[in-house]
Amino acid sequence: MSLSSLYSSNALLNVLSIGLDDSPDKTFIRFLDNDTQITRQAFFSTCERYCAFFLEIGIEAGDRIVVQSPKTTDSLCLYISAIMAGGIYIPLNPDFTDAEVSYYLNDSKPTIFICVPERAESLMKIASESDVPFTYTIGTKDIGTFYEEVYLRDAKFTEVIPREEEDIAAILYTSGTTGKPKGAMISHRALSSNALILRKEWRFTSQDLLIHALPVFHTHGLFVATNVALVSGAKLLFLDKFDSDKIIKAMPFATSLMGVPTFYTRLLQHADLSTAAKHMRLFISGSAPLLAQTHEEWKEKTGHAILERYGMTEANMVTSNPYKGIRKAGTVGIPLEGIKVRITSQETMEEVGEGQVGSLEIKGANLFTGYWQNPEKTASEFRKDGYFISGDLACRDNDGYISIVGREKDLIISGGFNIYPKEIEAVLDELPDVIESAIIGVYHADFGEAVVAVVVKKEQASLTEEDIIGYVSSQLVNYKRPKHVAFASNLPRNSMGKVQKNVLREQFKSLFEAN
Ligand code: AMP
């Protein structure tokens, strides 16, 4: 029997194992530091072993498997083996505190929790308080670990558990900035359709070696990068985290890189970038806005136009700049094949015209199924005709390219005027002494909200608050002028490089209280 036919009854595996029969001995994962490699066959055999173990201890279809582990190749095996066993994979950020883990375990009610050994004592206690039947540590080969249990049971793999397209493959908790994190239920269909679309759109083949330096608890590193490599037969060059030197070292024999914008801004500081990037085929950016300035500097230094795409946990990848054709700086491109995007007025809910800002809504096989055990929240985020309200504000130019203007909740309403932070940030970023900036709305008794600029300026720069307000006034209408400028040494960011405006809003919330 062919290898992949063993997996065909499981919708997602049926797609992710494409290519396994043609080249089982071909490398799937390679490393930079030592020359060890993991073949596709070896990778899938480990997954089968873990799957057999899960089934042996009694996991049933639809059971949750929560994994909080540092980034290792085993994290990827746990993802695939959970799918093989018909389970729902739930990765957690290894930096989550005990209190956060407790919330996720209580919310998702897993059958298995796999955690790092360093905090085993407290995490085991939390798992037992949350009535998790099986908890293992992973990360070393010590006694009492997941590895030892797998070895002792030595369960034989016979088959994967059949799963249909609409069955849930994973739950990813959204990095929500307000309220408690919500679990987005992601189906086999959403993942497999997106992997196939991206392979085609970005021309991934078995000739590719993709530098993988993203975390694997988030949609970008877990699904976009890993699934695309699996369906295309490409190899992953596996780095446990972002490291400029290592990426520069990998580039001459790699073909592609997927990164968040901070990868690119940091790599731009590297003296060897121009030479290293020469033979690369493709640089992709997403998960946060890439400044047009970064796009241009990158092109100047490397000759490559970064391909920016847009997506989110709930919708996988939604739009992309074209592989062939113009990659427009400051835009996220056009909707991917088979995915519908519309931009609607928040007042009338009708579609807005070219150049007008509205709420971005999405429809397609890429969408999540709903929020875990939260039908009210799910219902409130979908329109009656099946469009998902992304919460992003966007506009479309006359070529159909979409620009993300910001999150709806970051919109500032000052004196009755709508103000989109990105417009002011783009103006501030034009100033040569500004490294980066964030515009937030802060409570103001007179205006409702007032515009506040948080600016990171270059060391030694003499830029003042007056300079900044003066420059904005020369470029934009009066009501968009910041009422206060604060200088900071850096902007607070989460692990995916997104600026945490909620943290800034909290920091400055009392700024105008005396007014
Ligand atoms: P997450 O669910 O963590 O992937 O975050 C999704 C959010 O990141 C989106 O709703 C957008 O606000 C933002 N985002 C993702 N890609 C881009 C992009 N290329 N440009 C601007 N914002 C982006």
Side-chain angles (χ1 to χ4, degrees), residues 175 218-219 285-290 308-314 332 390 392 404 407 498:
S175 47
H218 183 267
T219 184
S285 175
S287 293
L290 181 81
E308 186 172 5
R309 90 317 177 265
Y310 157 80
M312 63 194 305
T313 304
E314 288 93 331
V332 295
S390 70
D392 285 313
I404 306 295
R407 297 286 299 160
K498 282 192 235 294

Side-chain angles (χ1 to χ4, degrees), residues 24 39 42 63 94-95 129-131 163 174 191 206 211 220 237-238 274 282 299 319 414 417 452 454 463 480-481 488:
T39 64
D63 281 359
D95 294 335
E129 283 162 6
S130 309
D131 298 325
R163 296 264 81 191
T174 59
L191 294 178
S206 59
I211 302 174
H220 198 165
L237 194 134
F238 202 78
S274 304
L282 182 60
K299 193 156 186 201
T319 71
S414 186
F417 290 110
V452 170
V454 184
L463 198 68
K480 296 181 184 169
R481 206 165 67 182

Side-chain angles (χ1 to χ4, degrees), residues 277-485:
K278 240 185 231 149
H279 302 292
M280 289 280 282
R281 176 177 77 79
L282 182 60
F283 293 97
I284 301 176
S285 175
S287 293
L290 181 81
L291 291 181
Q293 188 190 335
T294 311
H295 184 100
E296 275 139 30
E297 273 178 44
W298 190 269
K299 193 156 186 201
E300 212 170 280
K301 280 213 171 141
T302 68
H304 291 279
I306 298 173
L307 184 154
E308 186 172 5
R309 90 317 177 265
Y310 157 80
M312 63 194 305
T313 304
E314 288 93 331
N316 293 289
M317 295 306 101
V318 180
T319 71
S320 172
N321 269 278
Y323 186 79
K324 280 204 179 315
I326 301 169
R327 299 178 193 167
K328 284 197 200 180
T331 81
V332 295
I334 55 178
L336 288 161
E337 196 180 301
I339 296 174
K340 291 188 191 150
V341 171
R342 70 183 178 199
I343 300 174
T344 59
S345 149
Q346 288 156 290
E347 283 88 45
T348 64
M349 306 217 189
E350 297 291 316
E351 283 199 56
V352 298
E354 273 167 23
Q356 284 180 302
V357 174
S359 165
L360 188 144
E361 301 180 6
I362 307 159
K363 192 172 178 181
N366 55 314
L367 283 185
F368 76 131
T369 309
Y371 293 110
W372 171 251
Q373 292 191 325
N374 203 338
E376 297 82 28
K377 183 75 189 158
T378 305
S380 70
E381 309 265 310
F382 279 89
R383 300 262 182 238
K384 283 199 179 66
D385 58 0
Y387 275 83
F388 169 63
I389 308 161
S390 70
D392 285 313
L393 293 169
C395 61
R396 212 190 291 245
D397 71 10
N398 50 12
D399 295 323
Y401 283 62
I402 293 168
S403 295
I404 306 295
V405 180
R407 297 286 299 160
E408 241 161 82
K409 61 181 183 307
D410 293 334
L411 173 79
I412 303 167
I413 305 180
S414 186
F417 290 110
N418 281 6
I419 300 170
Y420 303 107
K422 190 168 176 200
E423 190 186 7
I424 311 174
E425 287 158 7
V427 168
L428 293 179
D429 296 342
E430 284 167 11
L431 288 166
D433 281 341
V434 169
I435 298 175
E436 56 179 354
S437 60
I439 293 288
I440 52 166
V442 169
Y443 171 76
H444 191 288
D446 262 358
F447 296 99
E449 280 183 300
V451 174
V452 170
V454 184
V455 174
V456 181
K457 62 178 178 179
K458 286 190 181 150
E459 253 177 71
Q460 326 285 335
S462 59
L463 198 68
T464 63
E465 177 167 15
E466 290 70 45
D467 297 336
I468 288 180
I469 294 177
Y471 186 64
V472 176
S473 308
S474 72
Q475 303 295 311
L476 299 173
V477 62
N478 219 9
Y479 65 83
K480 296 181 184 169
R481 206 165 67 182
K483 297 226 169 357
H484 178 81
V485 178

